[in-house]
Amino acid sequence: MESELIELTVARAADRIRSGELTADEYFDAWRERAAGDSLNAYLWRADVKAQADLEGSRAAQEDADGRSLAGIPIAVKDIFCTEGIPTTAASRILEGYRPPYTATAVRNLRRSGARILGKTNMDEFAMGSSNENSGYGPVLNPWDSGRVPGGSSGGSAAAVAGRLAPCAIGTDTGGSIRQPAALCGIVGMKPTYGAVSRYGMIAFASSLDQCGPLTRDVTDAALLMQALEGRDPCDSTSLGIDGGIEPPSREDLRGLSFGVPRELASEAEGIESGVREVFERTVALIEELGGEVAETELPHAPHGISAYYVLAPAEASANLARYDGVRYGLRVAGEDLTEMYEDTRARGFGAEVKRRIMLGTYALSSGYYEAYYGRAQRVRTKIAEDFKKAFERFDFVVTPTSPTVAFKLGAKTDDPLAMYMNDYCTVPMPLAGIPAISVPAGVAQPDGGGPELPVGFQVAGPAFSDSAILDAAYALERAIGFRRDGGAE
Ligand code: GLN
């Protein structure tokens, strides 16, 4: 019985709960038990006491489950979202013991739709990373092969969904942190249009790039979560929501839609594994079989995305992380005087990658270098946005592999930050342009040099606020791909 419940998608479980066939408690307990057996280090906090779960999970939603889209659905929340009274660390030692006095709007919106918090998921510290090895609380393991990384920074959320430790999850994406771990774990991950979902209560990494989005088993579930998440929020002046909301996806073919394949992020891209390339090409052929039109296009400035991103994101991070001073939140290491207290707290509290970013960002913003680094990176960002605009005059969508590689071995790239940064080659241009993109599992492939078959993601990006259209196209594609958890594409 329990295993049958675990196999339900969120959409199906919500239907059963609404019809009274299944109680929210029974469903929550089944998932709580699964989460309790976490052997992937996916969770940093779990709702382990039922009473507490009830408290956190909004009793009201239970009593008034009717009609709510996510009534009784347990959800895994990346530990970057503030949750009132529940530990929130962004996987940093500097926030150890911190319990926020309020809840992020994204989480509140999910609860308002009836969802309950199942746990807080592990991640790269302050969302800086692509492998989840930068967590202050140990790495997350990939459920397909526990010797490999799940991707990052939303690695805990992706591993929890793929490893059947949660029915669905939310994460954040600044340069690829939802789409890349979704790809490496064989699930769906979506980064919405910048401004679609409120950032209020989401611990800031790079504020002009950060977006919250769903990690789910299928596209229908991603749309369900998006319906609850999106919306304008007076507490976040950059939030707009999505006009007309999110439509439930229903497309069965891709007739009348055009897809551009940017050569810079596909045929000409370096470092794409041969197995990933094969799955990508097979999926492009499938688009044509479904009646979609496919042609090559160009995004001439996209190859500079990584360079621009690794100036802009650290610059914003260095400013955002100035608040962790030992006074206001979490850790304090007492020193001789105030300056020593600041220094010792930050030295002890932050991990190596976070320190690297703060140094990079502070340097890029320093007077005399500001124009040469930050100013120039901003201009590259504008060029990238213009490239997309031009491509969307001709095409409805742009498609690329999500990640250049399948999941790599733990430790394989930890000594080489530049190799690690290249993971984001195909995902970084979209947040720089503020546009939405989804990754759907498209098949399995061996890594270059051999090894087990591992999931490969296919990325579909569209113009700002085309979130519903992207979900719709991804839905048709997902049906045609027929990806199976246990054996790849049919
Ligand atoms: N991997 C990228 C980085 O390390 C992206 C992270 C993210 O999207 N949060 O910054």
Side-chain angles (χ1 to χ4, degrees):
M1 172 66 185
E2 188 216 298
S3 65
E4 191 242 350
L5 288 184
I6 298 307
E7 291 312 314
L8 294 174
T9 63
V10 167
R12 295 222 171 88
D15 275 347
R16 284 208 198 172
I17 292 171
R18 267 195 304 269
S19 72
E21 242 176 280
L22 174 65
T23 72
D25 275 344
E26 191 184 344
Y27 189 58
F28 194 82
D29 282 346
W31 279 108
R32 210 161 42 77
E33 242 168 72
R34 294 288 308 176
D38 174 18
S39 57
L40 303 171
N41 200 24
Y43 284 103
L44 295 177
W45 178 89
R46 282 165 290 183
D48 47 5
V49 183
K50 192 168 167 301
Q52 192 172 11
D54 274 348
L55 186 80
E56 309 312 341
S58 77
R59 202 181 298 272
Q62 267 249 309
E63 286 160 5
D64 174 29
D66 296 352
R68 299 207 196 196
S69 58
L70 297 174
I73 300 299
I75 181 151
V77 174
K78 187 178 182 178
D79 202 34
I80 201 165
F81 293 91
C82 288
T83 40
E84 187 181 341
I86 300 176
T88 301
T89 65
S92 182
R93 291 283 173 186
I94 212 162
L95 280 174
E96 197 158 5
Y98 175 60
R99 289 174 188 258
Y102 69 107
T103 297
T105 301
V107 177
R108 288 171 62 111
N109 284 348
L110 290 168
R111 276 189 176 166
R112 194 175 305 145
S113 297
R116 308 159 113 199
I117 301 176
L118 178 62
K120 302 290 294 287
T121 56
N122 201 349
M123 55 183 281
D124 283 301
E125 184 177 3
F126 287 110
M128 298 174 187
S130 308
S131 68
N132 226 116
E133 292 164 295
N134 295 337
S135 166
Y137 302 87
V140 178
L141 313 180
N142 189 313
W144 288 70
D145 175 353
S146 58
R148 290 175 187 268
V149 305
S153 63
S154 310
S157 288
V161 174
R164 300 288 192 261
L165 303 173
C168 62
I170 57 170
T172 59
D173 191 311
T174 304
S177 277
I178 289 174
R179 292 161 289 156
Q180 187 256 12
L184 268 45
C185 289
I187 61 166
V188 172
M190 178 165 187
K191 184 205 92 72
T193 303
Y194 185 79
V197 182
S198 168
R199 288 182 297 108
Y200 182 69
M202 207 170 96
I203 295 174
F205 163 15
S207 313
S208 76
L209 298 156
D210 299 342
Q211 259 301 284
C212 158
L215 294 106
T216 55
R217 239 183 265 171
D218 68 12
V219 175
T220 303
D221 284 359
L224 257 180
L225 259 58
M226 275 300 296
Q227 282 174 340
L229 286 169
E230 68 82 21
R232 183 168 147 59
D233 175 13
C235 296
D236 171 7
S237 59
T238 65
S239 72
L240 277 164
I242 292 179
D243 245 1
I246 296 285
E247 300 283 330
S250 60
R251 233 177 205 284
E252 292 187 0
D253 61 48
L254 297 172
R255 261 174 282 175
L257 297 178
S258 54
F259 296 77
V261 183
R263 66 177 80 92
E264 296 83 358
L265 301 182
S267 60
E268 284 175 7
E270 278 171 43
I272 304 223
E273 288 184 330
S274 58
V276 170
R277 204 177 280 282
E278 227 170 85
V279 171
F280 177 70
E281 280 160 13
R282 211 190 307 139
T283 312
V284 168
L286 204 55
I287 291 180
E288 286 180 312
E289 277 171 40
L290 290 169
E293 183 212 333
V294 182
E296 198 173 65
T297 183
E298 54 173 25
L299 295 171
H301 299 88
H304 303 297
I306 289 286
S307 314
Y309 173 87
Y310 279 99
V311 171
L312 297 173
E316 294 187 31
S318 70
N320 275 327
L321 270 54
R323 74 191 67 174
Y324 305 105
D325 55 4
V327 177
R328 284 170 283 190
Y329 316 89
L331 182 74
R332 170 182 296 190
V333 181
E336 287 280 297
D337 55 24
L338 185 64
T339 308
E340 206 178 285
M341 190 276 285
Y342 289 156
E343 287 173 356
D344 291 354
T345 300
R346 288 168 71 84
R348 174 105 66 85
F350 289 138
E353 183 62 23
V354 173
K355 286 177 187 160
R356 182 169 17 243
R357 305 272 179 121
I358 292 173
M359 285 190 280
L360 274 172
T362 310
Y363 181 75
L365 292 176
S366 56
S367 81
Y369 292 104
Y370 182 91
E371 248 318 297
Y373 294 108
Y374 189 77
R376 182 167 298 193
Q378 285 289 32
R379 286 195 288 279
V380 172
R381 182 177 190 173
T382 304
K383 291 280 183 204
I384 290 173
E386 285 169 0
D387 283 354
F388 274 114
K389 225 180 193 166
K390 207 159 157 217
F392 292 135
E393 281 169 14
R394 159 82 176 81
F395 298 98
D396 295 302
F397 304 105
V398 158
V399 295
T400 77
T402 307
S403 162
T405 71
V406 294
F408 45 94
K409 289 199 175 127
L410 286 156
K413 301 185 184 180
T414 36
D415 293 334
D416 187 351
L418 289 184
M420 189 69 96
Y421 294 173
M422 289 311 282
N423 280 301
D424 305 317
Y425 185 73
C426 296
T427 48
V428 135
M430 294 77 186
L432 285 171
I435 61 173
I438 196 167
S439 178
V440 291
V444 290
Q446 287 184 315
D448 276 357
E453 291 199 313
L454 296 159
V456 175
F458 185 84
Q459 178 173 230
V460 183
F465 302 106
S466 67
D467 303 58
S468 275
I470 286 181
L471 285 160
D472 218 17
Y475 176 81
L477 204 51
E478 169 184 73
R479 284 169 51 112
I481 292 168
F483 183 84
R484 287 201 327 260
R485 165 76 180 79
D486 51 353
E490 278 166 343

